[in-house]
Amino acid sequence: TQLLEQSPQFLSIQEGENLTVYCNSSSVFSSLQWYRQEPGEGPVLLVTVVTGGEVKKLKRLTFQFGDARKDSSLHITAAQPGDTGLYLCAGKRSGGSNYKLTFGKGTLLTVNP
Amino acid sequence: SAVISQKPSRDICQRGTSLTIQCQVDSQVTMMFWYRQQPGQSLTLIATANQGSEATYESGFVIDKFPISRPNLTFSTLTVSNMSPEDSSIYLCSVEVQGTNTEAFFGQGTRLTVV
């Protein structure tokens, strides 16, 4: 069973469109992170959210952490070809082995010019 | 932040051979993590490497297949032993930096193809 369910798995859109990627779980996370990975590179951290209900903005990217800290979303406004990549959510569970990151399956985004 | 150098960046290996991947960090870190990422897939944790103790392996990964060394606080190696085509994957090392939030940083990965 996947601890972090990420959707959609694939997304192909035209430049200028908006999109939202979702990351859902039945578990509570003490923090949740979003990464972008380009071909041939390791994942690069975009943002960390830690507080339920928190909203963070990074230029055209808006990240939200659910009130119960079980889900998160990434919204991109006016997507550009440079946004193309694999977007991964990852979380640290509250309690237990909370030093380990659990990754979602990723969303492969293609923005066509 | 942390800068991680991983090498080799890619390799093509014959089945039955072994490959050792190196990971160098520009600062001292307690834990280093080794992940596998199969084509088009997400990251799966192989093991956690602590300096001065044996690595902790995740379910489905064993020390005989993926021996790990951690000789000091800035360096680790992962060996993929007795390789088969099923081992073809990207292998990534990662460290976590304690700050306002604990953040993970990754090397650029090693793309391994076993033929």
Side-chain angles (χ1 to χ4, degrees):
Chain A
T1 311
Q2 189 72 19
L3 189 62
L4 274 171
E5 297 287 344
Q6 199 171 333
S7 63
Q9 189 174 355
F10 301 98
L11 191 55
S12 181
I13 62 172
Q14 294 300 121
E15 183 176 1
E17 293 183 2
N18 302 331
L19 67 116
T20 302
V21 177
Y22 299 94
C23 184
N24 297 302
S25 177
S26 57
S27 299
V28 176
F29 289 88
S30 58
S31 67
L32 200 140
Q33 302 176 344
W34 285 92
Y35 295 82
R36 180 170 65 214
Q37 184 179 21
E38 298 185 21
E41 301 292 329
V44 175
L45 180 67
L46 296 174
V47 78
T48 300
V49 286
V50 296
T51 305
E54 182 176 5
V55 176
K56 282 192 174 179
K57 292 193 174 185
L58 185 65
K59 296 183 180 178
R60 294 176 293 100
L61 278 61
T62 302
F63 304 86
Q64 186 163 5
F65 202 14
D67 291 340
R69 291 186 289 134
K70 293 182 179 180
D71 55 87
S72 181
S73 64
L74 158 61
H75 182 79
I76 301 179
T77 304
Q80 299 177 0
D83 296 326
T84 294
L86 179 67
Y87 288 81
L88 296 157
C89 65
K92 287 200 174 213
R93 293 176 66 183
S94 295
S97 301
N98 60 357
Y99 66 89
K100 290 189 285 189
L101 273 178
T102 300
F103 281 85
K105 285 193 171 183
T107 295
L108 187 59
L109 170 65
T110 303
V111 183
N112 303 298
Chain B
S1 68
V3 177
I4 302 171
S5 300
Q6 193 174 332
K7 58 181 180 182
S9 58
R10 59 177 62 232
D11 207 342
I12 301 173
C13 301
Q14 296 290 324
R15 67 176 66 202
T17 63
S18 298
L19 175 72
T20 295
I21 302 167
Q22 299 180 2
C23 182
Q24 178 76 51
V25 190
D26 68 342
S27 58
Q28 294 184 342
V29 292
T30 303
M31 290 191 287
M32 296 177 74
F33 304 88
W34 287 99
Y35 290 86
R36 182 173 71 185
Q37 184 178 30
Q38 295 179 312
Q41 301 294 316
S42 186
L43 280 67
T44 300
L45 182 63
I46 297 172
T48 304
N50 298 314
Q51 195 269 334
S53 63
E54 280 197 5
T56 303
Y57 289 82
E58 297 300 303
S59 175
F61 298 96
V62 295
I63 188 171
D64 290 346
K65 176 67 176 178
F66 297 102
I68 287 171
S69 79
R70 184 77 201 276
N72 57 54
L73 290 173
T74 64
F75 187 79
S76 178
T77 67
L78 170 76
T79 298
V80 186
S81 303
N82 189 25
M83 290 183 284
S84 66
E86 291 72 33
D87 295 320
S88 297
S89 191
I90 298 171
Y91 293 84
L92 294 149
C93 74
S94 173
V95 302
E96 292 190 350
V97 175
Q98 303 289 334
T100 304
N101 299 306
T102 302
E103 298 181 344
F105 295 88
F106 290 83
Q108 83 275 20
T110 297
R111 182 179 293 273
L112 170 63
T113 303
V114 184
V115 297

